[in-house]
Amino acid sequence: MYSFDSIVLIDDDPINNLINRRLISKLDISPRVAEYLEAEKALGCIQSLHREEKLLILLDINMPVMNGWDFLSQYLNFCTLRKDKIVMLSSSIDFQDRQKAEEYDCVSGFIEKPLTPEKLKKLL
């Protein structure tokens, strides 16, 4: 039994997405991993999914066009019935980013890059 139906990686760095996808695949916690370089595209995909599908969303903060905070605002507007687990995955060490993440009820954690098996297992 999988912990999540899908894992969604939202990061504008394709290398980070590749590394994270491989790590997640080795841990066998989800049958699907989707990667998005643009938060807008990820949001559109999430909106089209059945709301009962259980997602783990790993969200970077600093991205062009739509950053992680913008994504969260839009997510709260358009995905109100979803029960996804959203974790900020960022290279930011700014305490204010951690505080801001805690202000969002939909965010269940904040992890500093790089993602490791230990950090990922703590989310489960």
Side-chain angles (χ1 to χ4, degrees):
M1 186 72 170
Y2 293 109
S3 301
F4 298 95
D5 296 314
S6 292
I7 297 177
V8 179
L9 303 173
I10 306 173
D11 192 322
D12 62 318
D13 184 343
I15 300 300
N16 276 332
N17 283 336
L18 175 67
I19 292 168
N20 292 338
R21 174 191 269 281
R22 287 186 176 170
L23 172 71
I24 291 164
S25 296
K26 288 180 183 176
L27 295 177
D28 201 31
I29 58 175
S30 176
R32 291 181 301 277
V33 179
E35 302 170 40
Y36 295 93
L37 299 173
E38 299 170 11
E40 308 92 333
K41 289 184 180 178
L43 188 61
C45 176
I46 292 166
Q47 287 175 296
S48 71
L49 296 174
H50 192 275
R51 73 174 179 228
E52 299 302 318
E53 190 169 343
K54 188 175 176 184
L55 302 180
L56 170 60
I57 301 170
L58 299 176
L59 177 62
D60 187 23
I61 295 174
N62 298 311
M63 297 179 285
V65 185
M66 179 185 278
N67 65 29
W69 308 122
D70 297 334
F71 173 90
L72 289 173
S73 295
Q74 293 297 313
Y75 178 91
L76 290 173
N77 286 335
F78 298 111
C79 302
T80 55
L81 299 176
R82 298 197 59 84
K83 304 287 188 225
D84 302 321
K85 184 170 190 170
I86 301 175
V87 176
M88 306 307 287
L89 178 61
S90 179
S91 56
S92 172
I93 57 171
D94 188 345
F95 181 72
Q96 290 179 334
D97 283 337
R98 286 184 179 275
Q99 280 187 310
K100 189 171 182 176
E102 289 175 6
E103 294 172 10
Y104 288 89
D105 290 335
C106 62
V107 174
S108 60
F110 190 103
I111 297 176
E112 288 179 24
K113 291 178 185 176
L115 186 62
T116 64
E118 295 77 25
K119 290 175 183 177
L120 192 54
K121 287 176 185 175
K122 285 182 183 179
L123 299 176
L124 308 176

